[in-house]
C-alpha cells in the first residue's frame, strides 16, 4: 500500500529514487512523484506509473543529492496529479511522502481550515503536512519537534519521510503501523518501505519500530520516540540479493514465481527435514514447543491467499495433530470480542508480514496470555517481530501482486508444523509421519512435472479467456484450493469467479450453471473421489463445462469432463501443493490473453498496510 523511497548522501538522488520506486511499484501504482531537495526544491508528480513520472521529469532539473519519492495506492482522493505525493504544506515549508491512513484527518483539516489553511489535494497526507507546518510556524520549534508534536495528534497509520525547506540536508522519518527500513551506507542513508530499493547499496539496515522518529543527515542518524527519548538503533544485516528482484527472463514476475515453486518449496523445508527423512526440525518454534504441544485450540488469523493457506492448515492440524482449529479473517477477528484462552495457540499467516488487519489481530491477542506464532515470508517484517515465535517461509521476495509461491511455501510450513505436532502429541503414527515427510520431499519434483503441462493449460485458457464467470469446486483439503484458484482468476483477469465446497453447489450455486459456465473441479484420489464424480455429473447434466484436475491415470472423470489436467499421484496431505499449480497457470494465461496487467492488477496492491 504505497511505496516510499528516500536518499541523503553524496550521490545524485534521482536515479536512486526512480529505481527504488520501480522496485516498490508492486505496493501501489496509480500515481508517482519525487521531490529533490537540495537548495531549491523540485517536485515532479503525476497520475500513472513510474515510467510516466520519468517522462514528466525528462529535460527537467533532476540534480540534487537529497530526495524522496512515492508510488501511490489511493486511499483518500482519486488517483490524479494533484493527489499524487509528495505533498507540500501551504507555505511551502514541508514536503511529505506517506504510506498509511490518517484516520482523524477530517477533524484536523477543519481545525487547519479555521486557521486559514487552504488545501490543494483531497488527501489525508496534505493535512499532516499542514499540521506540521502550522506547529512549526506558530510554536517556533525545530522541524523535528514539529513533526513529533504533530504525530502525537494523529490517529491512524503512517510510514513517513518529511523534509523542511529550512533544513535542506535533513530527512525526518517516522513510523506507526506502516513499514519503513533505513539502509545505512558510508556517509549516506537510504529509506524505503521495504529493503528492495536498498539492497544494491548496503546490507546494513535498521527497521523503524512504531512511534519511532529518525532524524537523518548525510553523516548522522538520531533515533528517538515521539516523547524524545533516545533509542539505540538495532542494525541488522539483510540477506536479500539483487538477483531475487528481476524477472529472470520471464515475461512477468507472476510467471517467474509460479515456475520458482519447485525451488521455493525446497527452500522452505531445506535444513528443516533431516537428510534421512527421519524428522522435521523447526528451530523457530523450539522455545515454545511445550506450549504448542499442550495447546487446546489453534486460531489462525490471516487475509486473502494467506487465509486460504490457513484453511489448508485447519485440515492438517485437525487430522494429524488432533487440535481443534478456527480460521479467522483477521479483519473480522480484530473487531470482535473473541474468547481467547491462555492455552490457545494463535498463528498469524502473512507473506508480507505487514498486513494491517493481521497485525492488528495479533496485537489484540497480545493482550491475552495465548501464544502467538508467525508464518511470514518477509524477514524482519512487523508480524515476524511482534509474534512470540515463528517459522519463515523462505520463498524469496514475491513481487507479483497475485500470491503464488508464498501460498505454497505457507502450506509447506503448515504441513511441517502439523506433522511435528502430530508426532510430538503422538496423534500421528510414526510410519505415517515418515511417509508424509517423504511425500513432502517429493512435491518439488512433482510440481516440475506439472509445469511441463503449461502449453496444454494455455490451450484451455484460450478456450475460456472470454467467459464472464467461473466456478471452482473442491472437497476436503482441495476446498481451500478451489477458493484460491477462484481468487487468482478474479484478481488478475477480472473474471468473476467463486470457489465452493463441491457439496454446497446444490444449495445454490448450481442455479448459475448453463452452457457458458466453466466449472473447475478439483478431484482428489481419496475417499471424496466418488462424491466428486457425482458433483461433476450434476454440472454436466446442466450443460456446464468441466475442467477437471485429476490424478495421473484417472479414467472415470476423463470420460465426463470437457478438459482434464493431470497432476502426479500423491498423498492427500500434500495434494493442495500440487492441485493449485495448474490453477495458477490457467489464471496467468487467461489474464495475459485478456491483456490484463498481470503483475499489477487494477485496484490492488501487494502489501495491504491500511485496513
Ligand atoms: O501479505 P499477506 O499474506 O498478509 O497478504 C494477504 C493478502 O492481501 C494477499 O494474500 C492477497 O489476497 C493477494 N493479492 C492474493 O493473491
Amino acid at each position: 500500500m504505497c511505496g516510499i523511497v528516500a536518499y541523503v548522501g553524496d550521490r545524485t538522488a534521482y536515479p536512486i529514487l526512480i529505481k527504488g520506486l520501480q522496485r516498490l511499484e508492486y505496493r501501489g501504482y496509480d500515481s508517482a512523484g519525487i521531490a529533490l531537495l537540495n537548495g531549491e526544491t523540485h517536485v515532479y508528480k503525476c497520475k500513472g506509473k513510474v515510467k510516466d513520472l520519468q517522462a514528466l521529469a525528462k529535460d527537467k532539473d533532476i540534480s540534487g543529492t537529497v530526495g524522496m519519492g512515492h508510488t501511490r495506492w489511493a486511499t483518500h482522493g482519486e488517483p490524479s496529479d494533484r493527489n499524487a505525493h509528495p505533498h507540500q504544506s501551504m507555505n511551502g515549508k514541508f514536503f511529505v511522502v506517506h504510506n498509511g491512513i490518517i484516520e482523524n484527518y477530517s477533524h484536523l483539516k477543519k481545525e487547519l481550515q479555521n486557521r486559514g489553511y487552504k488545501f490543494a489535494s483531497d488527501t489525508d497526507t496534505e493535512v499532516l503536512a499542514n499540521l506540521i507546518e502550522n506547529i512549526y510556524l506558530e510554536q517556533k520549534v525545530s522541524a523535528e519537534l514539529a513533526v513529533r508534536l504533530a504525530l502525537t495528534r494523529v490517529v491512524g497509520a503512517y510510514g513517513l519521510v518529511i523534509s523542511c525547506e529550512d533544513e535542506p540536508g535533513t530527512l525526518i522519518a517516522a513510523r506507526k503501523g506502516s513499514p519503513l527500513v533505513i539502509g545505512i551506507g558510508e556517509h549516506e542513508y537510504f529509506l524505503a518501505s521495504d529493503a528492495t530499493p536498498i539492497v544494491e547499496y548496503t546490507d546494513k539496515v535498521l527497521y523503524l519500530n512504531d512511534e519511532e522518529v529518525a532524524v537523518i543527515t548525510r553523516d548522522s542518524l538520531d533515533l528517538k520516540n515521539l516523547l524524545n527519548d533516545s533509542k539505540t538503533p538495532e542494525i541488522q544485516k539483510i540477506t536479500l540479493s539483487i538477483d531475487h528482484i528481476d524477472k529472470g527472463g520471464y515475461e512477468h514476475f507472476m510467471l517467474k514465481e509460479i515456475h520458482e515453486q519447485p525451488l521455493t518449496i525446497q527452500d522452505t523445508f531445506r535444513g528443516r527435514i533431516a537428510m534421512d527423512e527421519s524428522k522435521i526440525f523447526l528451530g523457530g518454534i523450539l522455545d515454545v514447543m511445550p506450549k504448542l504441544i499442550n495447546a487446546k485450540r489453534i486460531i489462525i488469523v490471516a487475509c486473502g491467499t494467506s487465509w486460504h493457506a490457513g484453511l489448508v492448515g485447519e485440515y492438517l492440524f485437525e487430522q494429524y495433530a488432533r487440535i481443534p482449529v478456527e480460521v479467522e479473517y483477521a479483519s473480522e477477528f480484530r473487531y470482535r470480542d473473541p474468547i481467547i484462552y491462555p492455552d490457545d495457540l494463535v498463528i498469524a499467516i502473512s507473506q508480507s508480514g505487514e498486513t494491517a488487519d493481521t497485525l492488528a489481530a495479533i496485537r489484540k491477542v497480545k493482550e491475552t496470555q495465548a501464544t502467538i506464532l508467525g508464518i511470514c515470508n518477509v524477514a524482519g517484517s512487523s508480524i515476524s517481530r511482534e509474534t512470540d515465535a515463528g517459522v519463515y517461509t523462505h520463498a524469496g521476495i514475491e513481487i507479483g501482486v497475485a500470491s503464488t509461491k508464498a501460498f505454497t511455501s505457507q502450506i509447506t510450513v503448515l504441513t511441517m508444523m502439523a506433522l511435528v505436532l502430530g508426532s510430538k502429541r503422538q496423534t500421528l503414527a510414526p510410519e505415517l509421519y515418515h511417509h508424509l515427510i517423504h511425500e513432502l520431499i517429493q512435491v518439488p519434483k512433482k510440481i516440475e512435472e506439472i509445469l511441463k503441462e503449461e502449453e496444454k493449460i494455455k490451450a484451455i485458457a484460450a478456450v475460456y479467456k472470454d467467459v464472464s464467470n467461473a466456478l471452482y469446486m473442491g472437497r476436503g483439503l482441495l476446498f481451500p484450493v478451489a477458493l484460491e484458484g477462484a481468487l487468482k482468476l478474479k484478481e488478475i483477469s477480472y473474471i468473476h469467479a467463486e470457489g465452493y465446497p463441491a457439496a454446497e453447489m446444490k444449495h445454490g450455486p448450481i442455479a448459475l450453471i448453463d452452457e457458458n459456465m466453466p466449472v473447475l473441479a478439483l478431484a482428489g484420489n481419496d475417499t471424496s473421489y466418488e462424491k466428486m464424480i457425482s458433483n461433476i455429473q450434476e454440472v454436466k447434466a446442466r450443460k456446464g463445462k468441466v475442467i477437471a484436475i485429476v490424478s495421473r491415470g484417472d479414467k472415470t472423470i476423463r470420460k465426463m469432463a470437457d478438459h482434464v489436467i493431470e497432476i502426479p499421484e500423491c498423498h492427500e496431505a500434500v495434494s493442495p501443493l500440487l492441485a493449485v499449480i495448474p490453477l495458477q497457470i490457467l489464471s496467468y494465461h487467461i489474464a495475459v490473453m485478456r491483456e490484463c496487467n498481470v503483475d499489477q492488477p487494477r485496484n490492488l496492491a501487494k502489501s495491504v498496510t491500511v485496513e
Side-chain angles (χ1 to χ4, degrees):
M1 265 328 66
C2 300
I4 289 177
V5 62
Y7 175 76
V8 52
D10 293 330
R11 307 183 203 219
T12 304
Y14 179 77
I16 296 170
L17 300 180
I18 290 294
K19 206 190 263 187
L21 290 180
Q22 284 163 339
R23 298 251 167 86
L24 292 175
E25 219 171 12
Y26 73 93
R27 300 178 66 90
Y29 31 82
D30 59 48
S31 42
I34 50 167
L36 299 163
L37 300 158
N38 288 57
E40 197 189 340
T41 302
H42 295 291
V43 176
Y44 307 118
K45 57 182 193 170
C46 59
K47 180 178 170 183
K49 305 213 170 205
V50 179
K51 65 176 165 35
D52 302 303
L53 172 66
Q54 282 175 285
L56 176 74
K58 196 163 175 271
D59 304 327
K60 303 245 168 54
D61 183 352
I62 50 165
S63 61
T65 58
V66 186
M68 60 174 77
H70 188 270
T71 177
R72 181 170 186 247
W73 185 87
T75 58
H76 294 60
E78 58 170 11
S80 66
D81 293 353
R82 66 192 202 96
N83 286 334
H85 297 218
H87 286 285
Q88 189 173 3
S89 58
M90 187 179 80
N91 298 300
K93 288 282 178 205
F94 285 86
F95 297 87
V96 179
V97 287
H98 169 216
N99 168 25
I101 289 183
I102 310 297
E103 288 173 14
N104 58 338
Y105 86 103
S106 89
H107 168 78
L108 295 171
K109 188 170 183 175
K110 274 196 204 101
E111 195 179 300
L112 288 161
Q113 280 167 329
N114 291 339
R115 292 181 190 180
Y117 267 89
K118 302 254 178 310
F119 288 81
S121 78
D122 310 313
T123 64
D124 50 343
T125 306
E126 192 191 6
V127 175
L128 180 61
N130 282 333
L131 179 65
I132 296 168
E133 184 186 81
N134 186 246
I135 294 171
Y136 178 74
L137 293 177
E138 286 200 353
Q139 300 187 25
K140 303 206 181 338
V141 292
S142 67
E144 174 246 318
L145 180 52
V147 169
R148 286 193 289 108
L149 290 173
L151 292 180
T152 57
R153 301 211 44 213
V154 159
V155 178
Y158 51 78
L160 290 165
V161 178
I162 300 161
S163 88
C164 176
E165 191 140 86
D166 299 335
E167 298 174 24
T170 303
L171 295 174
I172 302 170
R175 171 210 155 124
K176 185 179 175 196
S178 304
L180 210 53
V181 191
I182 302 173
I184 301 162
E186 291 288 321
H187 303 293
E188 59 183 351
Y189 291 92
F190 306 82
L191 296 92
S193 298
D194 70 32
T196 55
I198 294 174
V199 62
E200 66 200 84
Y201 307 108
T202 177
D203 61 358
K204 281 198 284 181
V205 295
L206 163 67
Y207 293 94
L208 277 196
N209 290 313
D210 275 356
E211 303 201 343
E212 281 182 349
V213 177
V215 182
I216 303 165
T217 67
R218 171 188 176 280
D219 295 309
S220 63
L221 187 157
D222 185 16
L223 188 67
K224 50 183 69 174
N225 64 17
L226 291 184
L227 301 174
N228 204 24
D229 302 318
S230 279
K231 308 274 292 230
T232 311
E234 265 181 50
I235 296 165
Q236 301 185 24
K237 212 169 154 112
I238 36 167
T239 49
L240 183 69
S241 116
I242 198 77
D243 307 342
H244 293 133
I245 39 189
D246 68 27
K247 287 190 195 144
Y250 287 93
E251 203 179 328
H252 297 99
F253 280 109
M254 182 182 178
L255 188 61
K256 176 187 175 220
E257 287 157 5
I258 290 172
H259 279 264
E260 276 175 348
Q261 288 174 108
L263 271 179
T264 52
I265 290 174
Q266 270 179 52
D267 286 342
T268 306
F269 60 62
R270 192 186 311 273
R272 291 165 167 167
I273 297 184
M275 297 284 271
D276 61 0
E277 301 179 11
S278 60
K279 67 172 182 186
I280 296 171
F281 174 84
L282 296 174
I285 54 173
L286 220 52
D287 287 351
V288 290
M289 194 53 85
K291 287 189 174 165
L292 308 193
I293 293 170
N294 294 314
K296 293 281 178 305
R297 177 175 65 155
I298 296 175
I299 302 172
I300 297 177
V301 289
C303 302
T305 287
S306 299
W307 184 79
H308 297 156
L311 288 178
V312 173
E314 176 179 30
Y315 282 82
L316 296 171
F317 283 121
E318 291 196 341
Q319 182 149 358
Y320 299 117
R322 303 306 294 149
I323 306 175
V325 181
E326 289 168 23
V327 186
E328 302 269 2
Y329 284 117
S331 53
E332 289 297 314
F333 181 85
R334 64 180 287 193
Y335 288 116
R336 285 216 322 270
D337 191 6
I339 298 159
I340 303 166
Y341 300 109
D343 49 11
D344 277 344
L345 166 63
V346 177
I347 305 178
I349 307 177
S350 174
Q351 186 286 129
S352 62
E354 300 294 348
T355 298
D357 286 320
T358 312
L359 194 53
I362 61 168
R363 285 183 179 160
K364 180 160 201 143
V365 178
K366 279 172 106 169
E367 294 161 13
T368 74
Q369 288 172 289
T371 306
I372 313 173
L373 298 188
I375 298 179
C376 296
N377 194 35
V378 178
S381 55
S382 302
I383 293 172
S384 68
R385 287 182 294 139
E386 294 202 21
T387 40
D388 298 321
V391 181
Y392 280 123
T393 48
H394 294 319
I397 181 166
E398 189 181 65
I399 301 222
V401 165
S403 189
T404 52
K405 63 177 181 172
F407 178 67
T408 47
S409 64
Q410 288 165 344
I411 293 177
T412 303
V413 167
L414 289 162
T415 309
M416 288 193 289
M417 282 174 75
L419 298 187
V420 166
L421 287 185
S423 164
K424 298 222 182 271
R425 286 166 58 88
Q426 299 181 349
T427 50
L428 174 62
E431 306 75 49
L432 185 53
Y433 175 64
H434 295 126
H435 178 60
L436 291 179
I437 292 177
H438 181 72
E439 281 283 331
L440 190 57
I441 288 175
Q442 299 306 308
V443 164
K445 212 167 56 199
K446 292 180 180 176
I447 292 182
E448 271 166 20
E449 292 174 37
I450 301 172
L451 291 171
K452 289 190 190 133
E453 299 294 304
E454 183 165 356
E455 281 309 310
K456 184 177 169 191
I457 300 169
K458 193 171 168 184
I460 299 173
V463 176
Y464 294 101
K465 69 179 174 40
D466 295 321
V467 297
S468 308
N469 300 286
L471 295 178
Y472 288 66
M473 59 180 185
R475 285 172 171 268
L477 277 157
L478 295 183
F479 159 54
V481 178
L483 295 179
E484 175 61 8
L487 177 61
K488 286 292 86 87
L489 187 67
K490 70 183 130 189
E491 71 180 326
I492 61 169
S493 71
Y494 319 139
I495 292 172
H496 172 238
E498 298 296 337
Y500 289 99
E504 275 297 303
M505 294 291 283
K506 58 176 85 61
H507 298 287
I510 203 165
L512 295 168
I513 293 177
D514 61 16
E515 65 280 11
N516 299 316
M517 178 67 86
V519 179
L520 275 289
L522 310 183
N525 59 356
D526 50 31
T527 46
S528 68
Y529 181 77
E530 295 298 328
K531 294 188 190 304
M532 184 53 90
I533 289 178
S534 311
N535 296 132
I536 290 175
Q537 271 166 343
E538 286 155 13
V539 173
K540 286 312 300 171
R542 286 153 186 90
K543 299 194 168 47
K545 301 284 185 285
V546 172
I547 306 161
I549 313 291
V550 296
S551 275
R552 186 171 292 152
D554 177 278
K555 294 206 172 54
T556 314
I557 292 181
R558 178 174 294 277
K559 288 190 201 125
M560 293 183 253
D562 297 87
H563 312 269
V564 292
I565 302 170
E566 287 188 337
I567 59 173
E569 277 202 66
C570 64
H571 191 282
E572 63 164 326
V574 298
S575 61
L577 290 167
L578 302 186
V580 75
I581 308 292
L583 304 185
Q584 295 170 344
I585 299 172
L586 186 71
S587 303
Y588 170 79
H589 283 292
I590 289 180
V592 170
M593 287 170 194
R594 289 166 71 94
E595 296 181 9
C596 297
N597 187 338
V598 172
D599 284 333
Q600 296 175 343
R602 71 182 180 207
N603 304 340
L604 295 180
K606 182 73 184 160
S607 178
V608 184
T609 53
V610 296
E611 62 170 304

